[in-house]
Amino acid sequence: MDGEDISNPLMEMCANGIAGVDDAPSSSTSTTERKNRPIISGEQLDIEAYAGLYSGRTKIKRLIFIAHHRDNTAMQLEALRMAYDELKKGENTQLFREVVQKIDDRLGPNYSMDAAWCAMVDRKADQRKDKLESELNAYRTNLIKESIRMGYNDFGDFYYAHGALGDAFKSYVRTRDYCTTSKHIIQMCLSAILVSIEMGQFTHVTSYVSKAEQTPEALDPITSAKLRCAAGLAHLEAKKYKLAARKFLEVGPELGNSYGEVIAPQDVATYGVLCALASFDRTELKNKVIDNINFRNFLELVPEVRELINDFYSSHYASCLEYLGNLKSNLMLDIHIHDHVETLYDQIRSKALIQYTHPFVSVDMRMMADAFKTSVAGLEKELESLITDNQIQARIDSHNKILYARHADQRNATFQRVLQTGNEFDWDVRTMLLRANLLKHEYNLRASRKI
Amino acid sequence: MNSVEGLVTQIQGLSSTASDVLSLHNVLKQADDSLHAESTRLLPFLDQLDPSKHSLGYLYFLEACTAGPVTTESASSFVLIIARFISSCAAEQIRLAPDKFISVCKRLKDQVLFLEEPLRAVAPMLAAIRKLQSSTENLTTLHPEFLLLCLLAKCYKTGLSILEEDIFEVDQPRDLYLYCYYGGMICIGKKYFRKALELLHNVVTAPMSTINAIAVEAYKKYILVSLIHHGQLSTSLPKYASTVAQRNLKSFCQPYVELANSYTNGKIADLEAYVQANMEKFGSDNNLGLVKQVVSSIYKRNIQRLTQTYLTLSLQDIANTVQLNSPKEAEMHVLQMIQDGEIYATINQKDGMVRFLEDPEQYKTCEMIERVDSSIQRLMTLSKKLTVLDELMSSDPMYLGKVGRERQRFDFDDFDSVPQRFNI
């Protein structure tokens, strides 16, 4: 169920007419409000709009990732072209060379290796670096804290712009000794977090987030929203989906587009919902996601995801799984979540199966297979693995294709356990006494030899 | 000659009361060498002694007689003599010279093995054990000999009767290892895998300062029996096993450990291929029969797992899941398991379906209550035994001395009644 071709929402849009008032919000086509258009949806990814959500280095990285994973040549070249344009505005010659190599002269003479530009940028970089170094040395001899801090900060920015992430990180961390106010500390933490995310070292992200949150002053809402996003990303990478979901759901609506260097609000919504679906139980799902007023703003940006979670909660599993299937291809192009899509999807599907069987004493497997749009044989295999993992307490009547709930008989189970514990105790004590006797014998032997 | 005759008269005279017997014992000990010197001519004198009344003297004479090498004619006559002696001797008298008794019994064993009739010595050896044991919890050197004879004579039931008793006192560790090893083999022969596992576990985890061959062989069988009985092998020995065992046993039993790994992976084809490849290794250890049982047990384990998830299942599906060749084979396996009591099910041949049932045990019968009650009694006696041993140990002077010496003292209040140096 990949959304490679034109999928249903788009057809619906065309059939209903562009100016028509619809229930489906995907009918809004005003190009002025590009940022509010559903970007992550079942349609094929609109690269320009997607890239417009981000800024800075992450934009380039994401475009390269899309080019790498998309087999469609036209889209590949589109992504690479946008990356090239963006890189020309910046100073990162290393990434520039990489992109040029990937383009491989397929986009014409305008998009080939511009060696002159590279040389110029490198020369300017060296000049600036020397200047920064001399300034920093001057400040260091003068021992003015604030200037030294600014100097290291500038160094960090410089290295970051040129793609030397390790040096950037080191420079930012060095400012810590010269920070005097909480604002400085927060600034340092945010920079360190940004560089760590780009480097992919999420352990640093977690430590700097906690450092920033420990400042005595109250954080302004945008900063705390940013920190929560970063923490959520770190948990996501660590596969701690429950914690990630909680963090993403706590992000305040003030975030807006202010963290475009790292994450877009659509991403917050998608990641939050997927992780929540995979890991929360029903009460938590209702309290934290569906009734969460703050999070509603984010959900508006990705209406398919909103439909998804409402369907899951109201047990319309077929449509829920259909939405998931549509979203999959676009989610695989996202750099943070593409590793986790399979796991999350499996978990969501298992949760759906378990939730379906929970209220019933017996379930007709044919009806269940229809509800989940799968064959009875396939469903039987899935249920078998869930039963073996002890997530469903039931047994399958394969002849009549019915699933019977089975509740363990407590009394018999207790008797069995009692007898078994008695036997184990008996055996343990007997062997222990025997071993004690052997040890005593050996000890006596040794003692008698000494005497 | 005269000294021997003199001995005979002394024996006849001094065998009535306990104190006389003690003095007789001293006399005999001094005369032992001279007896051994005249070993070839002692046989006729045995007729003058009565084994039940003059047991101690008879024993000394007998031990000297049988000291020579075993030959066919002497073997058959000696077997009869020794067997008769064992059945009629007086237990208190022979307990004064246990080594001699043990060596006489060992010679009996050698002789029946020489004649290739181990069955003849089984009953006498059993009687010998009973007479030599100070209590049923005592393990003597004769226990492993007896089990060896039972194994060779294939009369496992008599062997089992000895194995039923719990052992708590051991004279020689080597006896224990051999006893448990042979006992394990007997239990495997009778398919009492749980008891076999216990016995082999005892050998493998017994305190030992160096690795011995018995432990290695026992560990090989332990792996196989563990797979048959539990379906898995715990990867490390428990903490109370000796350090030498923990470090070295696995390296000696490499093919078996790999067999266990491929068993737990669950792919029957891989398991069978591995067994084929290593046939001679298993064969040289005489474990081929066990290995074959391991392979057949993997089918059983897979079928048992099915009972947990399915209520009814077609024979075709069972054959597919368990990787058997046809529904007929699946039916044979299931039928065998139902007969052995390993699963509860009914086979519907018309539909080709198997219906899995719950364990019908309701724990409501009188027998069950008796079983629980006897378990409780048994465990209470065991607990009492444990407490008694603990008290004995805590008041043992050597233990107190060692603990007293090694205690740390932090201030004056720590100086309580345990002395630092405890002179015995």
Side-chain angles (χ1 to χ4, degrees), chain A residues 370-385:
Chain A
D370 279 336
F372 281 88
K373 295 263 172 31
T374 169
S375 66
V376 178
L379 182 68
E380 199 172 314
K381 283 271 166 299
E382 284 185 79
L383 285 174
E384 187 185 333
S385 60

Side-chain angles (χ1 to χ4, degrees), chain B residues 188-189 191 193 221 224-225 228 256 259 275 278-297:
Chain B
I188 292 174
K191 297 216 194 310
F193 289 118
K221 292 204 163 59
L224 294 173
V225 175
I228 296 178
Y256 294 84
L259 182 72
V275 168
N278 290 313
M279 275 283 212
E280 343 82 51
K281 255 186 256 174
F282 294 142
S284 64
D285 292 331
N286 289 330
N287 284 332
L288 209 48
L290 259 185
V291 171
K292 292 204 177 111
Q293 287 190 39
V294 167
V295 174
S296 68
S297 80

Side-chain angles (χ1 to χ4, degrees), chain B residues 352-381:
Chain B
M353 280 279 160
V354 178
R355 189 178 188 81
F356 296 116
L357 307 165
E358 295 279 345
D359 180 357
E361 177 62 63
Q362 283 293 313
Y363 300 99
K364 285 183 189 159
T365 59
C366 282
E367 292 90 36
M368 184 50 70
I369 301 208
E370 270 177 40
R371 203 172 129 191
V372 174
D373 195 47
S374 64
S375 259
I376 295 176
Q377 299 292 346
R378 195 178 146 81
L379 289 176
M380 276 166 52
T381 26

Side-chain angles (χ1 to χ4, degrees), chain A residues 380 384 387 395-399 404 411-412 415-416 425-427 430-431 433 435 437-438 441, chain B residues 166 168 170-171 176 198 201-202 240 307-312 353 361-363 378-379 382 389:
Chain A
E380 199 172 314
E384 187 185 333
I387 293 176
R395 298 247 289 238
I396 302 177
D397 181 345
S398 185
H399 186 51
Y404 286 102
R411 184 173 171 281
N412 283 357
F415 265 97
Q416 265 176 347
F425 178 79
D426 182 64
W427 182 56
R430 265 189 297 130
T431 49
L433 287 173
R435 273 197 304 277
N437 188 277
L438 277 175
H441 172 87
Chain B
D166 299 327
F168 291 119
V170 175
D171 293 334
L176 179 70
E198 280 177 28
H201 186 89
N202 276 342
Y240 47 76
T307 62
Q308 290 305 310
T309 45
Y310 285 94
L311 210 48
T312 64
M353 280 279 160
E361 177 62 63
Q362 283 293 313
Y363 300 99
R378 195 178 146 81
L379 289 176
L382 208 58
L389 186 65

Side-chain angles (χ1 to χ4, degrees), chain A residues 122-138:
Chain A
D122 285 336
R123 226 180 321 123
K124 265 210 274 188
D126 287 331
Q127 282 173 350
R128 177 141 173 82
K129 185 167 169 194
D130 292 332
K131 181 159 156 261
L132 283 174
E133 253 190 78
S134 56
E135 275 179 13
L136 188 62
N137 285 333

Side-chain angles (χ1 to χ4, degrees), chain B residues 27 33 258 365 421:
Chain B
V27 170
D33 296 328
E258 282 175 23
T365 59
R421 274 198 161 287

